[in-house]
Amino acid sequence: MCAIYEISGLKVFRLFLMTKRKRPSRKRPTARRRHKSKQSRFTRHWRLATLMLLVGTVFLTLIYTLYLDILIRQQFEGRRWALPARVFARPLEIYGDKSLSAAALVDELKLLRYQRRRRADEPGEYFRKGNTVILHTRGFPFWDGDEPQRLIRIVFREGRVSGIYDKSSGEDLGLLRLEPVAIASIYPRHNEDRMLVQLADVPPLLVAALLTVEDRNYFSHNGLDVMAVARALLINLKAGRTVQGGSTLTQQLVKNFFLSNERTLWRKLNEAIMAWLLEWHFSKEEILEAYLNEVYLGQDGGRAIHGFGLASQFYFERRLSDLKSEQMAALVALIKGPSYYDPRRHPQRARARRDLVLGLLAEHGGMSLAEANRAKSVPLAVSAKAPSGVSPFPAFVQLVREQLKRDYREEDLRAEGLVIFTTLDPMVQVDVERAITRRLARLDKHQGTARQKVQGAIVVTSVENGEVLALVGGRDPRYAGYNRAVDARRPIGSLIKPVVYLTALSQPREYSLTTRVDDAPLSLRLSEGKVWSPQNYDHKNHGQVLLRDALVQSYNVSTARLGLAIGLDAVTDNLYRLGLSRNVPHYPSMLLGAVELSPLEVSQIYQTLAAGGYRAPLKAIREVMNRQGLPLRRYPLKLERTVDPAAVYLVNSAMYEVTRQGTAKSLKALLPEELKVAGKTGTTNGLRDSWFAGFSGEHLVVVWMGRDDNRSTGLTGSTGALPVWADIMNSISTSPLNMVQPPEVEWMLIDPVSGLIADEGCSGAEWFPFIKDSAPTDPAPCGKEVYTGVDRAVDWFSELFEQ
């Protein structure tokens, strides 16, 4: 600091002395000298300004280049693409003695878009002759290991798998797992779709074709090919228009990855700088792999097809590694103009461009002339119809997405490339869709145009594990709109009655299936002063009836009396135990179904009943993998005993009788005799809702039919939903009802008239299940004094006369 002050003082002193000196006299400058002085000052100022401008430009260029450098490294390193989540159905597992026909397997192969050929030489091809199917599988990377592609022979006998053999070696495989059907993709918000491939997995011929056509000096330039630009400029000048470009693959990648398509000098300058920077930071192999995954190769509606991996599937329905030389050339040909050379819309243009690529390959040593000529003689062979990017099963996919939201963020589903394996059985789904559309079409024809707005919703689950196998949300299964199976909440009517009777039978000291309940008229004054007087569907009262018969015949009055006796709280508590998560209003009419639930919620309740009292939360997802194929999350079976299995067994036996002699007895004529099922009809006031929920030994199916405007359909549960349910059960491969009897349940022979113990000689006696120590002990008169066979016949004829 002192030195600074000293120097400053010295300068001041010198200035002072200078002011004391006598200034010398100066001559007045001439005009010429003044002009030269001005010119000199102007030159100096101009040079200084130019220098400053040059320095500023260099500085700004460096700053801007640094900005571009940071941008490139940030966006190109790490996660380079927002990848859609892929959603798949369940894979079909084939094993010895599986219930599967050759025709059913072929139907599944068609869903997988396998091609029928005389010889299944290529992956994705099959051939059927009688009870033998030859197929060349594609292979698939599953969560527990890769399934390789193989040539397989499957033999069937009487609707079952007899043997599975490797056709090459003759080895008995025992188990085969086909690749799953792709049912949806959850796309990034900009709607780009791609399937990532690694450079090591790309056929060398495809790389050779790409470089031959688009960038022959790729491995020798630094992002810019000056000679190629000059050559293109010369050709374009001769032609008088742009016929050839000089951009390198690196420049094309930069344009696609970072820039817009506008043709301006500024954009080209950016492209050149960024291409050079990209080559500076990354290897040729990394850039080439990025190009293979980024290049735009087509459009499917609002979905943009990017990269050779997806384009291979989109145009040829093959994996990239399975393509033939002419197919690889066709994909490379698309780069020049995916719309102009679209092989489905403009096959002649596409073939001419493909042949040009093949010719260039042969000219530059990429393939022999003979192979190029052979490839040129082959048709384009693109698939007739592009695999759609829109889900064919939108209602089911909505359920999948809702369950995924519990564990994943929306941005992860749209960008992380997750692979999601679901529980959907595509063959069951197709059968369900066919059943509802056919029945509704028949109903439209019968009822006329005035009532063509009847809708339907269906849920099919596996009794064993609660997996949702199929789901339809409306009369048009392909419509991705209002999903009635998940979102529509409608009064469930008599579907609630099994829960009322389950609650009573859970008190074996008080109730059994032979307990008499009162079906006499009921009037109940409510708190707000109104009177509730439920009526039976037939507008009759039936006096004292067996508890089982009240359920089988779906009597409203006796059910209401029973529910009031055991308490509304007890009934709603059992609803929650069975799997309902929605709050239920506590008023008497809920005992008769004044509870609004969706078909999916009804399925959860009946799923627990079908499983014998063991609740398994309904699930639509099995596994989730990340983009590298590593398992992220499993959705295992979670079973919990929530209600008494013995009481459930009694209720299910009564629902079996519903299908034999109750409100669903028409099923006897609609189903094969050996297919035993249990279920319950449901009808709401004014015939607004038609329900049927029932199960076999393997499948639970819930069907709802109604109108969105809540007007009458004119359908009961047995005339609307039940026939659809029967069509489904007839079309899917299912097993008959086979209830596992709990050890505390015993069967007794009962006289159904008196409800007392009968013997083998009692006419009309039936076997009833009881929880131990709850069966009646008194012997039945067996009609000797109380009720004779003649009396029964007279009553029957009286009822017939009244009808």
Side-chain angles (χ1 to χ4, degrees):
M1 294 293 289
C2 293
I4 294 174
Y5 288 138
E6 183 179 348
I7 294 171
S8 301
L10 181 62
K11 285 184 177 181
V12 172
F13 179 72
R14 285 177 178 173
L15 288 171
F16 175 76
L17 290 178
M18 289 174 64
T19 58
K20 294 295 183 178
R21 292 178 185 171
K22 185 177 180 181
R23 295 184 180 181
S25 60
R26 294 181 180 178
K27 294 182 179 180
R28 193 167 185 176
T30 63
R32 184 177 179 181
R33 289 179 63 186
R34 286 199 302 272
H35 176 71
K36 284 185 177 181
S37 177
K38 288 181 181 179
Q39 209 173 30
S40 176
R41 285 199 301 272
F42 175 78
T43 301
R44 286 198 302 271
H45 291 162
W46 182 85
R47 287 177 179 174
L48 181 61
T50 302
L51 180 62
M52 291 179 62
L53 180 62
L54 182 61
V55 171
T57 301
V58 171
F59 178 75
L60 290 176
T61 301
L62 288 174
I63 293 297
Y64 185 65
T65 303
L66 181 62
Y67 161 73
L68 292 180
D69 185 71
I70 295 172
L71 178 68
I72 282 176
R73 283 186 290 133
Q74 283 182 343
Q75 293 193 23
F76 201 77
E77 290 176 343
R79 192 186 70 193
R80 298 175 184 173
W81 292 277
L83 295 178
R86 306 283 179 189
V87 186
F88 293 92
R90 62 92 186 99
L92 177 62
E93 294 183 341
I94 307 173
Y95 48 85
D97 204 40
K98 178 182 176 67
S99 177
L100 181 71
S101 66
L105 174 59
V106 168
D107 287 341
E108 178 98 9
L109 294 177
K110 289 178 180 177
L111 285 174
L112 287 166
R113 303 181 74 89
Y114 273 60
Q115 302 297 315
R116 184 185 177 101
R117 298 285 187 263
R118 291 183 178 180
R119 295 178 58 185
D121 293 329
E122 301 291 337
E125 296 180 350
Y126 78 95
F127 172 73
R128 178 190 175 189
K129 185 176 181 180
N131 287 327
T132 300
V133 175
I134 308 296
L135 70 149
H136 201 142
T137 66
R138 299 189 181 109
F140 193 85
F142 287 100
W143 60 90
D144 54 356
D146 289 355
E147 184 77 21
Q149 57 171 272
R150 292 183 286 196
L151 187 60
I152 304 294
R153 180 170 64 94
I154 306 176
V155 182
F156 300 86
R157 183 176 293 117
E158 297 180 354
R160 307 192 80 85
V161 177
S162 176
I164 310 167
Y165 308 97
D166 186 305
K167 197 171 185 302
S168 302
S169 65
E171 177 189 359
D172 189 343
L173 297 178
L175 175 67
L176 172 69
R177 182 165 52 174
L178 294 182
E179 74 267 30
V181 176
I183 61 172
S185 293
I186 303 173
Y187 297 111
R189 299 194 184 279
H190 43 72
N191 234 28
E192 287 185 1
D193 194 8
R194 58 174 50 81
M195 295 176 64
L196 290 187
V197 295
Q198 293 182 338
L199 183 59
D201 299 326
V202 177
L205 183 61
L206 176 61
V207 175
L210 173 65
L211 297 183
T212 297
V213 175
E214 296 295 329
D215 193 351
R216 292 172 204 162
N217 299 321
Y218 175 72
F219 283 101
S220 61
H221 64 63
N222 293 318
L224 303 174
D225 190 342
V226 178
M227 293 301 296
V229 172
R231 183 170 58 251
L233 183 61
L234 212 61
I235 293 173
N236 294 338
L237 286 174
K238 287 181 179 180
R241 57 190 177 91
T242 302
V243 295
Q244 183 174 322
S247 296
T248 64
L249 283 187
T250 312
Q251 288 176 276
Q252 292 180 39
L253 178 62
V254 165
K255 181 182 69 174
N256 293 336
F257 207 85
F258 301 101
L259 305 175
S260 66
N261 287 323
E262 62 177 349
R263 295 188 174 186
T264 63
L265 184 61
W266 178 249
R267 202 269 293 165
K268 291 296 291 183
L269 182 62
N270 276 328
E271 179 185 297
I273 296 173
M274 296 175 83
W276 181 80
L277 290 171
L278 200 62
E279 295 261 1
W280 178 268
H281 288 294
F282 301 97
S283 69
K284 288 286 187 179
E285 288 74 16
E286 288 178 299
I287 296 171
L288 181 58
E289 184 177 281
Y291 182 91
L292 290 166
N293 286 298
E294 174 62 23
V295 61
Y296 172 67
L297 292 171
Q299 195 73 27
D300 178 30
R303 177 176 66 135
I305 307 300
H306 284 263
F308 284 96
L310 181 62
S312 175
Q313 299 279 356
F314 183 71
Y315 292 107
F316 300 106
E317 297 190 38
R318 293 176 181 269
R319 291 191 298 185
L320 196 58
S321 58
D322 296 331
L323 292 183
K324 298 178 181 179
S325 57
E326 60 269 18
Q327 294 169 329
M328 298 180 204
L331 292 184
V332 172
L334 284 168
I335 298 174
K336 185 175 178 63
S339 178
Y340 187 81
Y341 294 105
D342 186 333
R344 293 192 179 94
R345 295 171 54 208
H346 309 294
Q348 291 182 338
R349 293 179 192 169
R351 184 165 183 173
R353 178 70 182 170
R354 180 204 68 176
D355 293 349
L356 174 64
V357 173
L358 290 169
L360 289 172
L361 263 175
E363 180 183 341
H364 291 275
M367 65 192 313
S368 68
L369 183 60
E371 171 60 18
N373 289 334
R374 183 211 63 79
K376 289 180 182 180
S377 67
V378 177
L380 285 171
V382 294
S383 58
K385 187 177 180 182
S388 175
V390 179
S391 172
F393 311 121
F396 181 86
V397 172
Q398 180 192 334
L399 176 62
V400 170
R401 294 193 65 163
E402 289 189 3
Q403 294 191 0
L404 283 171
K405 287 177 182 177
R406 303 172 190 170
D407 303 310
Y408 299 94
R409 300 177 305 167
E410 180 71 15
E411 51 265 40
D412 293 335
L413 297 177
R414 290 184 176 274
E416 291 296 335
L418 301 181
V419 181
I420 300 155
F421 296 94
T422 73
T423 61
L424 179 80
D425 186 321
M427 294 310 303
V428 174
Q429 177 73 27
V430 169
D431 288 336
V432 168
E433 292 177 358
R434 187 181 296 120
I436 187 67
T437 53
R438 285 181 177 177
R439 283 287 175 177
L440 286 175
R442 192 178 306 175
L443 182 66
D444 291 345
K445 185 177 180 180
H446 176 71
Q447 293 188 337
T449 56
R451 290 185 176 176
Q452 287 188 8
K453 294 183 180 179
V454 175
Q455 286 285 349
I458 302 171
V459 181
V460 182
T461 64
S462 166
V463 169
E464 181 182 7
N465 51 32
E467 291 186 342
V468 180
L469 305 179
L471 188 142
V472 171
R475 64 184 297 144
D476 182 1
R478 300 289 176 267
Y479 176 63
Y482 185 44
N483 189 347
R484 295 161 188 82
V486 176
D487 299 325
R489 295 177 176 86
R490 306 288 297 218
I492 64 173
S494 296
L495 292 190
I496 202 173
K497 289 177 181 175
V499 184
V500 177
Y501 289 88
L502 171 68
T503 308
L505 293 169
S506 299
Q507 305 173 34
R509 293 181 179 273
E510 301 291 333
Y511 299 98
S512 71
L513 288 175
T514 58
T515 300
R516 289 191 170 276
V517 292
D518 191 3
D519 196 54
L522 170 66
S523 292
L524 180 67
R525 186 169 296 279
L526 304 178
S527 58
E528 59 271 23
K530 296 181 180 179
V531 176
W532 183 56
S533 299
Q535 302 290 319
N536 289 322
Y537 181 75
D538 59 4
H539 300 289
K540 296 180 181 179
N541 294 96
H542 307 89
Q544 295 289 320
V545 296
L546 297 185
L547 185 144
R548 184 203 67 174
D549 292 344
L551 176 56
V552 170
Q553 302 302 329
S554 198
Y555 293 150
N556 288 334
V557 180
S558 51
T559 301
R561 287 184 176 275
L562 179 64
L564 292 171
I566 58 180
L568 298 180
D569 289 343
V571 175
T572 55
D573 183 60
N574 265 338
L575 276 172
Y576 301 141
R577 289 175 179 271
L578 291 168
L580 183 65
S581 57
R582 182 184 309 283
N583 290 329
V584 176
H586 281 54
Y587 41 74
S589 60
M590 62 85 62
L591 297 168
L592 302 180
V595 178
E596 295 184 350
L597 302 179
S598 70
L600 186 67
E601 290 172 315
V602 171
S603 298
Q604 180 65 79
I605 293 169
Y606 274 76
Q607 175 71 31
T608 308
L609 293 174
Y614 289 85
R615 184 178 68 203
L618 298 184
K619 64 175 184 176
I621 306 168
R622 286 184 175 179
E623 307 278 348
V624 177
M625 298 192 314
N626 64 13
R627 68 172 71 179
Q628 288 79 29
L630 299 176
L632 288 181
R633 183 180 293 273
R634 299 197 65 186
Y635 293 79
L637 174 63
K638 296 180 181 179
L639 275 178
E640 180 185 7
R641 175 179 161 175
T642 56
V643 288
D644 182 12
V648 172
Y649 185 86
L650 268 56
V651 170
N652 289 349
S653 69
M655 285 199 287
Y656 168 64
E657 293 299 328
V658 169
T659 68
R660 284 167 46 86
Q661 54 182 318
T663 56
K665 60 185 176 183
S666 59
L667 283 174
K668 290 191 294 184
L670 299 175
L671 297 178
E673 184 178 355
E674 65 274 10
L675 184 56
K676 309 298 182 184
V677 296
K680 186 71 187 73
T681 56
T683 309
T684 60
N685 293 338
L687 303 182
R688 292 182 176 88
D689 299 275
S690 171
W691 291 89
F692 190 80
F695 48 92
S696 64
E698 196 173 349
H699 296 98
L700 164 71
V701 182
V702 174
V703 179
W704 168 84
M705 293 175 67
R707 292 180 56 163
D708 291 339
D709 59 11
N710 204 32
R711 293 182 181 179
S712 175
T713 63
L715 301 170
T716 65
S718 58
T719 61
L722 184 144
V724 177
W725 189 93
D727 288 347
I728 295 170
M729 280 295 180
N730 278 318
S731 60
I732 65 178
S733 176
T734 192
S735 57
L737 183 67
N738 184 21
M739 298 185 297
V740 178
Q741 181 176 325
E744 59 270 31
V745 171
E746 58 184 0
W747 286 79
M748 304 290 290
L749 195 61
I750 299 294
D751 171 29
V753 177
S754 63
L756 302 177
I757 296 292
D759 56 37
E760 295 291 346
C762 285
S763 176
E766 299 180 33
W767 289 96
F768 280 71
F770 293 90
I771 297 176
K772 286 183 178 178
D773 301 326
S774 67
T777 56
D778 296 334
C782 287
K784 293 177 181 176
E785 297 93 0
V786 180
Y787 198 80
T788 66
V790 175
D791 293 329
R792 187 173 298 176
V794 170
D795 288 348
W796 187 82
F797 278 110
S798 298
E799 290 181 6
L800 184 63
F801 181 76
E802 289 175 2
Q803 292 177 359

